[in-house]
mmCIF file of all heavy atoms in Angstrom:
data_model
loop_
_atom_site.group_PDB
_atom_site.id
_atom_site.type_symbol
_atom_site.label_atom_id
_atom_site.label_comp_id
_atom_site.label_asym_id
_atom_site.label_seq_id
_atom_site.Cartn_x
_atom_site.Cartn_y
_atom_site.Cartn_z
ATOM 1 N N PRO A 121 -0.856 20.478 -0.318
ATOM 2 C CA PRO A 121 -1.712 21.645 -0.513
ATOM 3 C C PRO A 121 -1.386 22.409 -1.778
ATOM 4 O O PRO A 121 -0.170 22.427 -2.138
ATOM 5 C CB PRO A 121 -1.466 22.506 0.685
ATOM 6 C CG PRO A 121 -0.126 22.135 1.204
ATOM 7 C CD PRO A 121 0.009 20.721 0.857
ATOM 8 N N LEU A 136 -3.899 17.710 -3.203
ATOM 9 C CA LEU A 136 -3.527 16.666 -4.104
ATOM 10 C C LEU A 136 -3.145 15.390 -3.262
ATOM 11 O O LEU A 136 -2.135 15.410 -2.562
ATOM 12 C CB LEU A 136 -2.407 17.059 -4.982
ATOM 13 C CG LEU A 136 -1.928 16.046 -6.038
ATOM 14 C CD1 LEU A 136 -3.016 15.760 -7.076
ATOM 15 C CD2 LEU A 136 -0.633 16.501 -6.718
ATOM 16 N N ILE A 137 -4.006 14.330 -3.375
ATOM 17 C CA ILE A 137 -3.662 13.170 -2.613
ATOM 18 C C ILE A 137 -2.955 12.092 -3.387
ATOM 19 O O ILE A 137 -2.413 11.134 -2.894
ATOM 20 C CB ILE A 137 -4.913 12.610 -1.871
ATOM 21 C CG1 ILE A 137 -5.935 12.113 -2.857
ATOM 22 C CG2 ILE A 137 -5.523 13.596 -0.981
ATOM 23 C CD1 ILE A 137 -7.097 11.359 -2.285
ATOM 24 N N PRO A 139 -0.779 12.279 -7.284
ATOM 25 C CA PRO A 139 -0.548 12.871 -8.573
ATOM 26 C C PRO A 139 -0.689 11.892 -9.699
ATOM 27 O O PRO A 139 -0.573 10.642 -9.495
ATOM 28 C CB PRO A 139 0.918 13.338 -8.429
ATOM 29 C CG PRO A 139 1.522 12.389 -7.489
ATOM 30 C CD PRO A 139 0.456 12.030 -6.535
ATOM 31 N N HIS A 152 -16.643 15.229 -0.239
ATOM 32 C CA HIS A 152 -17.251 14.440 0.838
ATOM 33 C C HIS A 152 -18.657 14.939 1.144
ATOM 34 O O HIS A 152 -19.073 16.000 0.718
ATOM 35 C CB HIS A 152 -16.368 14.587 2.133
ATOM 36 C CG HIS A 152 -16.276 15.998 2.648
ATOM 37 N ND1 HIS A 152 -17.275 16.545 3.370
ATOM 38 C CD2 HIS A 152 -15.282 16.956 2.497
ATOM 39 C CE1 HIS A 152 -16.923 17.805 3.698
ATOM 40 N NE2 HIS A 152 -15.763 18.069 3.210
ATOM 41 N N PRO A 180 -17.374 23.317 3.409
ATOM 42 C CA PRO A 180 -17.779 24.025 4.597
ATOM 43 C C PRO A 180 -18.661 23.171 5.545
ATOM 44 O O PRO A 180 -18.836 23.499 6.708
ATOM 45 C CB PRO A 180 -18.520 25.240 4.115
ATOM 46 C CG PRO A 180 -18.883 24.943 2.754
ATOM 47 C CD PRO A 180 -17.858 24.045 2.209
ATOM 48 N N HIS A 182 -18.035 20.174 6.483
ATOM 49 C CA HIS A 182 -17.264 19.125 7.024
ATOM 50 C C HIS A 182 -17.612 18.912 8.520
ATOM 51 O O HIS A 182 -18.172 19.809 9.192
ATOM 52 C CB HIS A 182 -15.769 19.316 6.817
ATOM 53 C CG HIS A 182 -15.150 20.515 7.546
ATOM 54 N ND1 HIS A 182 -14.700 20.435 8.827
ATOM 55 C CD2 HIS A 182 -15.022 21.802 7.143
ATOM 56 C CE1 HIS A 182 -14.255 21.580 9.208
ATOM 57 N NE2 HIS A 182 -14.429 22.479 8.204
ATOM 58 N N TRP A 189 -22.351 28.404 6.257
ATOM 59 C CA TRP A 189 -22.675 27.949 4.955
ATOM 60 C C TRP A 189 -24.164 27.679 4.733
ATOM 61 O O TRP A 189 -24.702 27.874 3.676
ATOM 62 C CB TRP A 189 -21.870 26.649 4.597
ATOM 63 C CG TRP A 189 -22.273 25.474 5.369
ATOM 64 C CD1 TRP A 189 -21.841 25.060 6.559
ATOM 65 C CD2 TRP A 189 -23.386 24.540 4.996
ATOM 66 N NE1 TRP A 189 -22.532 23.932 7.053
ATOM 67 C CE2 TRP A 189 -23.418 23.630 6.110
ATOM 68 C CE3 TRP A 189 -24.228 24.411 3.984
ATOM 69 C CZ2 TRP A 189 -24.363 22.534 6.086
ATOM 70 C CZ3 TRP A 189 -25.139 23.329 3.955
ATOM 71 C CH2 TRP A 189 -25.170 22.425 5.044
ATOM 72 N N SER A 190 -24.817 27.234 5.860
ATOM 73 C CA SER A 190 -26.184 26.853 5.771
ATOM 74 C C SER A 190 -27.248 27.998 5.835
ATOM 75 O O SER A 190 -28.406 27.796 5.718
ATOM 76 C CB SER A 190 -26.543 25.835 6.886
ATOM 77 O OG SER A 190 -26.421 26.383 8.130
ATOM 78 N N SER A 236 -15.657 22.425 -16.948
ATOM 79 C CA SER A 236 -14.710 21.558 -17.655
ATOM 80 C C SER A 236 -14.999 20.099 -17.523
ATOM 81 O O SER A 236 -14.279 19.233 -17.990
ATOM 82 C CB SER A 236 -13.263 21.861 -17.147
ATOM 83 O OG SER A 236 -13.203 21.531 -15.732
ATOM 84 N N PRO A 245 -26.270 8.963 -3.649
ATOM 85 C CA PRO A 245 -27.099 10.184 -3.798
ATOM 86 C C PRO A 245 -28.517 9.994 -3.361
ATOM 87 O O PRO A 245 -29.022 8.875 -3.249
ATOM 88 C CB PRO A 245 -27.065 10.422 -5.320
ATOM 89 C CG PRO A 245 -27.113 8.964 -5.919
ATOM 90 C CD PRO A 245 -26.247 8.143 -4.938
ATOM 91 N N ARG A 248 -35.364 11.288 -5.964
ATOM 92 C CA ARG A 248 -36.682 10.786 -6.305
ATOM 93 C C ARG A 248 -37.146 11.545 -7.539
ATOM 94 O O ARG A 248 -36.902 12.755 -7.674
ATOM 95 C CB ARG A 248 -37.668 10.958 -5.154
ATOM 96 C CG ARG A 248 -37.203 10.319 -3.869
ATOM 97 C CD ARG A 248 -38.228 10.100 -2.835
ATOM 98 N NE ARG A 248 -37.709 9.443 -1.617
ATOM 99 C CZ ARG A 248 -38.421 9.005 -0.608
ATOM 100 N NH1 ARG A 248 -39.702 9.106 -0.619
ATOM 101 N NH2 ARG A 248 -37.774 8.495 0.441
ATOM 102 N N ASP A 252 -44.561 13.732 -5.458
ATOM 103 C CA ASP A 252 -45.636 13.212 -4.637
ATOM 104 C C ASP A 252 -45.076 12.120 -3.636
ATOM 105 O O ASP A 252 -45.736 11.748 -2.672
ATOM 106 C CB ASP A 252 -46.718 12.501 -5.491
ATOM 107 C CG ASP A 252 -47.580 13.528 -6.265
ATOM 108 O OD1 ASP A 252 -47.583 14.655 -5.840
ATOM 109 O OD2 ASP A 252 -48.120 13.161 -7.267
ATOM 110 N N GLU A 257 -44.568 11.285 6.202
ATOM 111 C CA GLU A 257 -43.751 10.169 6.747
ATOM 112 C C GLU A 257 -42.257 10.256 6.309
ATOM 113 O O GLU A 257 -41.395 9.985 7.110
ATOM 114 C CB GLU A 257 -44.357 8.793 6.275
ATOM 115 C CG GLU A 257 -43.692 7.637 6.850
ATOM 116 C CD GLU A 257 -44.353 6.361 6.423
ATOM 117 O OE1 GLU A 257 -45.397 6.405 5.760
ATOM 118 O OE2 GLU A 257 -43.767 5.246 6.705
ATOM 119 N N THR A 258 -42.097 10.679 5.046
ATOM 120 C CA THR A 258 -40.701 10.836 4.599
ATOM 121 C C THR A 258 -39.936 11.917 5.377
ATOM 122 O O THR A 258 -38.826 11.734 5.760
ATOM 123 C CB THR A 258 -40.673 11.170 3.091
ATOM 124 O OG1 THR A 258 -41.397 10.102 2.383
ATOM 125 C CG2 THR A 258 -39.266 11.326 2.550
ATOM 126 N N SER A 260 -40.616 12.991 8.395
ATOM 127 C CA SER A 260 -40.406 12.491 9.728
ATOM 128 C C SER A 260 -39.205 11.567 9.799
ATOM 129 O O SER A 260 -38.373 11.619 10.724
ATOM 130 C CB SER A 260 -41.646 11.796 10.260
ATOM 131 O OG SER A 260 -41.417 11.274 11.536
ATOM 132 N N TYR A 262 -36.508 11.437 7.924
ATOM 133 C CA TYR A 262 -35.221 12.110 7.743
ATOM 134 C C TYR A 262 -34.964 13.131 8.819
ATOM 135 O O TYR A 262 -33.793 13.450 9.148
ATOM 136 C CB TYR A 262 -35.080 12.717 6.354
ATOM 137 C CG TYR A 262 -34.806 11.611 5.261
ATOM 138 C CD1 TYR A 262 -35.778 11.167 4.509
ATOM 139 C CD2 TYR A 262 -33.546 11.124 5.156
ATOM 140 C CE1 TYR A 262 -35.573 10.158 3.580
ATOM 141 C CE2 TYR A 262 -33.238 10.155 4.246
ATOM 142 C CZ TYR A 262 -34.307 9.664 3.441
ATOM 143 O OH TYR A 262 -34.058 8.699 2.505
ATOM 144 N N ARG A 277 -16.603 5.008 10.020
ATOM 145 C CA ARG A 277 -15.254 5.670 10.086
ATOM 146 C C ARG A 277 -14.476 5.173 11.231
ATOM 147 O O ARG A 277 -13.182 5.230 11.158
ATOM 148 C CB ARG A 277 -15.412 7.199 10.002
ATOM 149 C CG ARG A 277 -15.933 7.770 8.741
ATOM 150 C CD ARG A 277 -15.747 9.292 8.649
ATOM 151 N NE ARG A 277 -16.585 9.959 9.626
ATOM 152 C CZ ARG A 277 -17.808 10.371 9.398
ATOM 153 N NH1 ARG A 277 -18.444 10.129 8.331
ATOM 154 N NH2 ARG A 277 -18.491 11.070 10.405
ATOM 155 N N ARG A 288 -24.124 7.008 19.507
ATOM 156 C CA ARG A 288 -25.367 7.849 19.507
ATOM 157 C C ARG A 288 -25.102 9.227 20.156
ATOM 158 O O ARG A 288 -25.526 10.208 19.627
ATOM 159 C CB ARG A 288 -26.466 7.152 20.233
ATOM 160 C CG ARG A 288 -27.799 7.892 20.224
ATOM 161 C CD ARG A 288 -28.879 7.105 20.959
ATOM 162 N NE ARG A 288 -30.144 7.739 20.898
ATOM 163 C CZ ARG A 288 -30.513 8.773 21.645
ATOM 164 N NH1 ARG A 288 -29.762 9.264 22.571
ATOM 165 N NH2 ARG A 288 -31.734 9.339 21.504
ATOM 166 N N MET A 290 -22.215 10.813 20.233
ATOM 167 C CA MET A 290 -21.437 11.578 19.283
ATOM 168 C C MET A 290 -22.264 12.071 18.150
ATOM 169 O O MET A 290 -22.144 13.253 17.709
ATOM 170 C CB MET A 290 -20.262 10.740 18.743
ATOM 171 C CG MET A 290 -19.189 10.384 19.803
ATOM 172 S SD MET A 290 -17.927 9.299 19.154
ATOM 173 C CE MET A 290 -17.095 10.368 17.951
ATOM 174 N N GLY A 330 -25.406 1.561 -2.053
ATOM 175 C CA GLY A 330 -25.171 0.394 -1.199
ATOM 176 C C GLY A 330 -26.515 -0.365 -0.945
ATOM 177 O O GLY A 330 -27.521 0.287 -0.707
ATOM 178 N N ASP A 333 -28.051 0.515 2.406
ATOM 179 C CA ASP A 333 -28.162 1.964 2.737
ATOM 180 C C ASP A 333 -29.548 2.360 3.187
ATOM 181 O O ASP A 333 -30.506 2.230 2.380
ATOM 182 C CB ASP A 333 -27.680 2.761 1.519
ATOM 183 C CG ASP A 333 -27.404 4.227 1.926
ATOM 184 O OD1 ASP A 333 -27.806 4.656 3.005
ATOM 185 O OD2 ASP A 333 -26.741 4.887 1.094
ATOM 186 N N CYS A 359 -23.285 -3.567 1.704
ATOM 187 C CA CYS A 359 -22.693 -2.198 1.743
ATOM 188 C C CYS A 359 -23.803 -1.177 2.192
ATOM 189 O O CYS A 359 -24.967 -1.309 1.765
ATOM 190 C CB CYS A 359 -22.151 -1.773 0.421
ATOM 191 S SG CYS A 359 -21.320 -0.162 0.391
ATOM 192 N N HIS A 361 -24.030 3.238 3.449
ATOM 193 C CA HIS A 361 -23.999 4.552 2.915
ATOM 194 C C HIS A 361 -22.572 4.968 2.491
ATOM 195 O O HIS A 361 -22.451 6.020 1.860
ATOM 196 C CB HIS A 361 -24.522 5.502 3.932
ATOM 197 C CG HIS A 361 -24.834 6.902 3.383
ATOM 198 N ND1 HIS A 361 -25.768 7.097 2.349
ATOM 199 C CD2 HIS A 361 -24.360 8.119 3.730
ATOM 200 C CE1 HIS A 361 -25.874 8.398 2.079
ATOM 201 N NE2 HIS A 361 -24.984 9.024 2.916
ATOM 202 N N PHE A 362 -21.542 4.236 2.857
ATOM 203 C CA PHE A 362 -20.136 4.623 2.628
ATOM 204 C C PHE A 362 -19.357 3.595 1.786
ATOM 205 O O PHE A 362 -18.508 2.932 2.352
ATOM 206 C CB PHE A 362 -19.418 4.903 3.983
ATOM 207 C CG PHE A 362 -19.956 6.082 4.715
ATOM 208 C CD1 PHE A 362 -21.077 5.960 5.511
ATOM 209 C CD2 PHE A 362 -19.359 7.298 4.618
ATOM 210 C CE1 PHE A 362 -21.631 7.054 6.203
ATOM 211 C CE2 PHE A 362 -19.850 8.389 5.314
ATOM 212 C CZ PHE A 362 -20.966 8.329 6.069
ATOM 213 N N ASP A 377 -12.576 1.249 -13.530
ATOM 214 C CA ASP A 377 -13.262 0.888 -14.818
ATOM 215 C C ASP A 377 -13.884 2.096 -15.473
ATOM 216 O O ASP A 377 -13.850 2.260 -16.667
ATOM 217 C CB ASP A 377 -14.302 -0.263 -14.545
ATOM 218 C CG ASP A 377 -13.646 -1.571 -14.186
ATOM 219 O OD1 ASP A 377 -12.422 -1.701 -14.430
ATOM 220 O OD2 ASP A 377 -14.373 -2.411 -13.733
ATOM 221 N N ASP A 381 -12.947 3.673 -19.210
ATOM 222 C CA ASP A 381 -13.928 4.017 -20.221
ATOM 223 C C ASP A 381 -13.957 5.429 -20.553
ATOM 224 O O ASP A 381 -14.038 5.853 -21.670
ATOM 225 C CB ASP A 381 -15.334 3.570 -19.817
ATOM 226 C CG ASP A 381 -15.442 2.031 -19.701
ATOM 227 O OD1 ASP A 381 -14.579 1.340 -20.232
ATOM 228 O OD2 ASP A 381 -16.407 1.587 -19.049
ATOM 229 N N GLN A 388 -10.772 9.720 -27.831
ATOM 230 C CA GLN A 388 -11.311 9.615 -29.160
ATOM 231 C C GLN A 388 -12.088 10.913 -29.607
ATOM 232 O O GLN A 388 -12.280 11.136 -30.835
ATOM 233 C CB GLN A 388 -12.332 8.459 -29.194
ATOM 234 C CG GLN A 388 -11.650 7.108 -29.054
ATOM 235 C CD GLN A 388 -12.692 6.014 -28.847
ATOM 236 O OE1 GLN A 388 -13.957 6.228 -28.830
ATOM 237 N NE2 GLN A 388 -12.206 4.761 -28.745
#
Side-chain angles (χ1 to χ4, degrees):
L136 180 64
I137 64 171
H152 65 78
H182 65 88
W189 67 271
S190 65
S236 61
R248 302 196 184 189
D252 291 338
E257 183 178 353
T258 302
S260 177
Y262 285 99
R277 291 193 294 271
R288 184 178 184 278
M290 292 176 65
D333 193 344
C359 183
H361 194 60
F362 293 83
D377 290 345
D381 293 343
Q388 293 169 2

